[in-house]
Amino acid sequence: MLQKILLILFSALALTGVGQVAKALPNGHAHNDYEKKWPAFKTALSKGFVSLEIDVFPYKNQLKVAHIDFFLNVAPELEALYFKPLEEWLSKKGKLFEDSTQRLIFMIDIKRSSSKSYALLRTLCMRYKHLITHYYPDKDSVSYGVLDILLSGNKPYEQVLRDSVRYMLIDGGLEDINDSIRTAAIAPRVSGRYASVFSWRGKGEMPHKELTRLRKIVATAHADNRKVRFWGMPNKPVVWKLLLDEGVDWMNVDALEAYRLFYQEYQQKE
C-alpha cells in the first residue's frame, strides 16, 4: 500500500507544474536530473536543458530511478517519472523547446544488471517508440523522434550491437575514440571523469599540459565524429567558459539556473 501511495505521489508531482517552453541550451546536460528541484524532468526542460541523466536499477519487472539501491520498493518508476511526463508535455505544448526541431536526450545510467535493465528498457522503448529515435543499422538509416536515448553506467554494448532495430545508443568512454567496433554509430558521445584528466578547478589558468591534453581529446573525438562530455567537472562559470571555448560539446551541470544565466551571457559575447 505504501508503495502505491508513493508512486501516485511521484506521478502527480511529475505531471504538475508544467513549465514554459524554453530556448534550448545546446550544451546543457543535467547531471542526475531526478535529484534536482521537483518536478523532475520538467524543471530541467523548462530551463532549456536538452540532455538529462537518469540513474536506474532493475527491481522485479520495473526500472526504478535512484542513485543507490536502498528502498527500491518505494523508489519512483522510470516510466512514471520521465516517459509519461514527456508525453504529457508534448500533448499540452506541442514541442519541447522554442526550436521545434531540437531533440531531447535521456542518458540512462544503468547502475546494475545491464542485461536485465536493457531488456526492461527495450520493452519500455517499444511502448514509446512513437517518441523515440530509432536506428536501422542494416539499412544505414535513422527514423528521428523527439527523444534520443543513450545508455551509460553498466553499458550493454553487445545487446545494442546485436539489435536490428536500435532504440538506444551508448554514452561511450574516452577509450572508445577510434575503436573499430564501438564506433560513433553506436557511441556518438564519449564521456570521461574530469578529475582523471585534469587537476585544474578554475583557479588561475589551466596548466599548459592540461590544456594541450584537452585540445587533443576534443580534436581526436571530433575527427571520429564523437561529442565530448566530462563528468564530475567543477560547476563554475570560468570552467564552463574555457571548456566551451575549447570545443567541449556537453557541460555536465548540477547548478541548472546558474548555467542557464551563464550561457545567456556567453552567447551574447560570442
Side-chain angles (χ1 to χ4, degrees):
M1 178 60 71
L2 176 60
Q3 180 182 2
K4 289 182 178 179
I5 292 172
L6 285 171
L7 285 174
I8 291 170
L9 175 60
F10 279 123
S11 298
L13 282 168
L15 292 171
T16 57
V18 177
Q20 297 298 312
V21 173
K23 185 176 181 179
L25 302 172
N27 310 90
H29 173 80
H31 173 242
N32 287 359
D33 176 69
Y34 57 94
E35 294 183 336
K36 303 295 185 291
K37 183 179 178 181
W38 279 77
F41 163 69
K42 292 184 178 178
T43 295
L45 198 63
S46 296
K47 293 181 184 297
F49 281 79
V50 300
S51 179
L52 313 182
E53 183 172 340
I54 312 159
D55 292 351
V56 299
F57 287 87
Y59 178 79
K60 297 183 179 179
N61 289 318
Q62 300 173 334
L63 282 166
K64 296 299 193 88
V65 178
H67 190 61
I68 56 175
D69 61 351
F70 293 153
F71 308 114
L72 289 179
N73 60 317
V74 295
E77 295 178 52
L78 176 63
E79 182 176 14
L81 206 57
Y82 283 93
F83 284 85
K84 286 183 178 178
L86 172 60
E87 205 164 44
E88 175 80 6
W89 177 288
L90 288 168
S91 70
K92 290 184 177 180
K93 301 291 185 181
K95 59 183 180 179
L96 295 173
F97 304 99
E98 288 182 5
D99 178 359
S100 60
T101 65
Q102 174 66 57
R103 303 197 306 278
L104 179 67
I105 298 171
F106 284 172
M107 193 190 85
I108 299 176
D109 190 331
I110 298 173
K111 307 303 286 186
R112 187 175 65 203
S113 306
S114 62
S115 295
K116 182 176 182 180
S117 295
Y118 182 71
L120 291 171
L121 275 168
R122 204 171 194 286
T123 299
L124 187 59
C125 287
M126 291 292 292
R127 207 150 50 233
Y128 290 90
K129 63 182 179 180
H130 56 291
L131 301 177
I132 297 171
T133 297
H134 37 291
Y135 306 83
Y136 302 91
D138 294 338
K139 300 177 182 179
D140 193 25
S141 65
V142 183
S143 177
Y144 289 102
V146 298
L147 177 67
D148 297 348
I149 296 179
L150 296 179
L151 304 180
S152 184
N154 289 286
K155 305 167 189 177
Y157 268 109
E158 294 306 316
Q159 289 96 324
V160 176
L161 285 166
R162 285 197 302 264
D163 271 342
S164 59
V165 180
R166 295 172 183 159
Y167 296 96
M168 296 161 274
L169 299 181
I170 303 288
D171 181 89
L174 298 179
E175 69 278 3
D176 292 330
I177 298 172
N178 293 322
D179 190 283
S180 60
I181 296 175
R182 299 178 177 185
T183 65
I186 196 72
R189 179 161 78 188
V190 291
S191 300
R193 185 167 71 95
Y194 183 92
S196 69
V197 186
F198 311 111
S199 63
W200 183 69
R201 306 291 296 177
K203 186 176 181 180
E205 295 185 353
M206 175 179 271
H208 179 71
K209 285 185 178 180
E210 295 190 7
L211 184 58
T212 300
R213 188 180 306 137
L214 170 62
R215 288 172 175 169
K216 182 177 180 180
I217 290 170
V218 172
T220 54
H222 287 177
D224 197 32
N225 296 313
R226 321 272 192 157
K227 293 189 175 182
V228 178
R229 177 180 71 100
F230 295 105
W231 54 272
M233 56 181 285
N235 267 226
K236 298 177 180 180
V238 64
V239 176
W240 293 330
K241 182 180 185 307
L242 182 137
L243 295 183
L244 287 171
D245 287 348
E246 294 298 332
V248 176
D249 303 282
W250 292 102
M251 297 299 104
N252 203 73
V253 177
D254 288 295
L256 301 189
E257 180 63 10
Y259 181 77
R260 187 186 69 82
L261 294 173
F262 157 81
Y263 194 77
Q264 286 179 346
E265 185 176 348
Y266 179 81
Q267 277 187 310
Q268 292 171 1
K269 292 180 179 179
E270 285 185 323

